[in-house]
Every structure is written in structure tokens, then in C-alpha cells.
Amino acid sequence: MDVISHPALAHLHPPGHHVHPETPARLARLQAAYEGFVHGRAADRSEVELVHDAAYVDAVDALLDETWLDADTFAGATTWGAASLAAGCTIEAVERQGFALVRPPGHHALRSAAMGFCIFNNVAIAARHAQVRLGLERVAIVDFDVHHGNGTEAIFRGDPSVLTVSLHQWPFWPGSGGPGTSGEDVLNVPLPAGSGDVDYLRAFETVVEPAVREFEPDLVLVSAGFDAHVDDPLAEMEVTADGFRELARRSVSLAPRKAAVLEGGYNLETLPGLVGAALEGFTS
């Protein structure tokens, strides 16, 4: 499975003088660990606007000074460069059936607003690209980041051609995705703090797999967040490398085509190994 990234992602979109978990060091560590990665490209405006409003894209493109787009999401003059590369590398992951190692993450980004470290919704852009440009009719997005993929859900809710699935800690930020929030094209699997490999895999086997198989997707796109790891500083879950390996393996078994994109994961020491475990699962 190809790994797709871009060297600039290891220095663009820095948090300035602020201490912030979403840092260029995340990609510097990963690119050092996976030196043979394929160099991806930036998405163009027409690709970003497959899911984002033009006025919002204009606002990101026009940023010149350091600012905060919400209480958690910093931005500046190089944010457009990083966010368009993140989206473009994810598109290339769909085309190559690869794994995009990118930042900023994307699954909280809304149609017309940034949220929760996310600028553009990389996985949503790539899903719509798969439909519009590659002719793949039905896409399932499986998100095992520790936070609910609220932005991806909001973009596609009501669209019967895309099934969004999110396994996440609940109750937890951003406060959505709790019990009773699933629908015909949305499957939310809220899990309590302290859940580990057994809990995730049981939920995947009993809830996620039947729903995705019934949907019969042409493509499964994985929002691969690693902040549910036992040593991640931002959450309270207990998933191990073995758990991520198995989640990845089971996810890509659900459709004839597969691709993945990095979401969260903020322990710089463990992140390369967790990505490696997921890669093993994706290719097994």
C-alpha cells in the first residue's frame, strides 16, 4: 500500500508561539519513518469546492496573519498550502488505494467552517472525488479516530450514496455522535472511556461490519485517527497497536477498493509505530 505525503507538510501551518498538539513535528516524525513515501500534490479549488462553500475557501486562501478560526484551530499564511496539500494527497490516496499521511486533519471541518484542528475535510473531498471523477457510486467512510467525525457526517447526512461510520469516545468532545444519532446513511458507535481492543473489535464485528456489508460500497475510505491509543494525551481510551492493526484489516475487507487518511494521533513517540501497525492491517 503506497504511503502518500508531501515534504512541506512537515513545516507548513505551524502554531506559532503557541503550544499545540497539532504540530508539524507529527509529519516530520512520520516522514522520517516512511522515507519512501509518494509525493502527493495540492488539491485545486474545484476539488476543495466539491464539499466546501466557495466563500469559506476564499477566506482560507486569503489568510495572511496568524489567527484562530475557532477556540482550537489556529491558522496563518501557510494554512492554505498545508490544507490544500492534505486534501490533494488524500485524493491521490483514493486514486492509488494508498494511505495519506497528512496534516491538518479533516474530519471535524464543516462545509463552511473550520473546527477542531481541521481546515478542509480531506476524507469528504476524496470521497466526492471518487464519485465525481472516478465513477465510484457508493462510498463508505469508516472513522476510528477517538473523536466523533461530526464534520464528515454533517457534509454527507441525507446522501444515500455515502455511508458515514464513526467509532468514538462518548461523552466527549465535540459532544455529538451519542446514542440515538444514527440514521439510514449514518452509523455512530459511541464507546465509553476506557474502551480497548476487545471493545472496539466487538463493536466492529457486531455493528459496523453488518451495516457496511449491507450498504455494499464500491470504496471504503478510512479516517485513521490514532488518538484512541492507550498512551495518547488527548483522550481516555486504551486501544493498542494490535487493535489498530485489526481495525485497519477489517475496514479494508469491506469493499473492493480501499484508501485511508491520517486524522488524529498526538503522541510523537508512538505515532510512527501505530501507523505502521495500521499499514500492516491495510495490506494483510
Side-chain angles (χ1 to χ4, degrees), residues 5-235:
S5 192
H6 193 283
L9 293 173
H11 61 81
L12 292 178
H13 185 59
H17 300 295
H18 304 282
V19 176
H20 198 284
E22 210 301 281
T23 166
R26 298 176 69 227
L27 263 292
R29 290 290 185 99
L30 290 174
Q31 290 176 358
Y34 302 96
E35 292 181 339
F37 63 88
V38 174
H39 288 207
R41 63 171 178 86
D44 62 36
R45 289 183 61 99
S46 67
E47 291 169 324
V48 176
E49 289 175 10
L50 288 170
V51 303
H52 289 291
D53 291 341
Y56 173 60
V57 178
D58 287 340
V60 175
D61 193 11
L63 288 168
L64 295 176
D65 301 313
E66 289 186 8
T67 188
W68 290 85
L69 302 181
D70 72 3
D72 304 300
T73 311
F74 62 89
T78 66
T79 294
W80 169 266
S84 59
L85 278 170
C89 288
T90 310
I91 288 172
E92 189 142 350
V94 166
E95 294 175 342
R96 289 176 170 267
Q97 297 194 72
F99 190 175
L101 299 184
V102 298
R103 58 171 291 277
H107 71 151
H108 299 306
L110 302 165
R111 188 172 296 278
S112 59
M115 184 177 179
F117 310 172
C118 303
I119 307 296
F120 296 147
N121 197 307
N122 306 314
V123 75
I125 291 168
R128 198 59 95 196
H129 173 86
Q131 293 180 315
V132 173
R133 309 283 164 82
L134 303 182
L136 301 176
E137 294 182 1
R138 298 170 71 79
V139 179
I141 298 173
V142 177
D143 186 336
F144 53 70
D145 187 277
V146 79
H147 303 97
H148 176 229
N150 64 297
T152 310
E153 177 186 312
I155 287 168
F156 291 119
R157 185 179 275 275
D159 181 344
S161 71
V162 179
L163 174 67
T164 60
V165 179
S166 180
L167 301 95
H168 48 269
Q169 182 175 330
W170 193 88
F172 201 45
W173 191 94
S176 52
T181 58
S182 296
E184 289 187 6
D185 46 41
V186 172
L187 178 61
N188 285 319
V189 187
L191 297 166
S195 295
D197 294 357
V198 170
D199 307 289
Y200 270 78
L201 296 175
R202 182 187 301 115
F204 206 95
E205 179 179 357
T206 61
V207 181
V208 175
E209 288 186 24
V212 178
R213 292 195 186 282
E214 182 179 1
F215 180 72
E216 297 183 329
D218 302 303
L219 166 71
V220 63
L221 254 174
V222 181
S223 274
F226 298 95
D227 36 10
H229 186 251
V230 62
D231 292 327
D232 196 273
L234 294 195

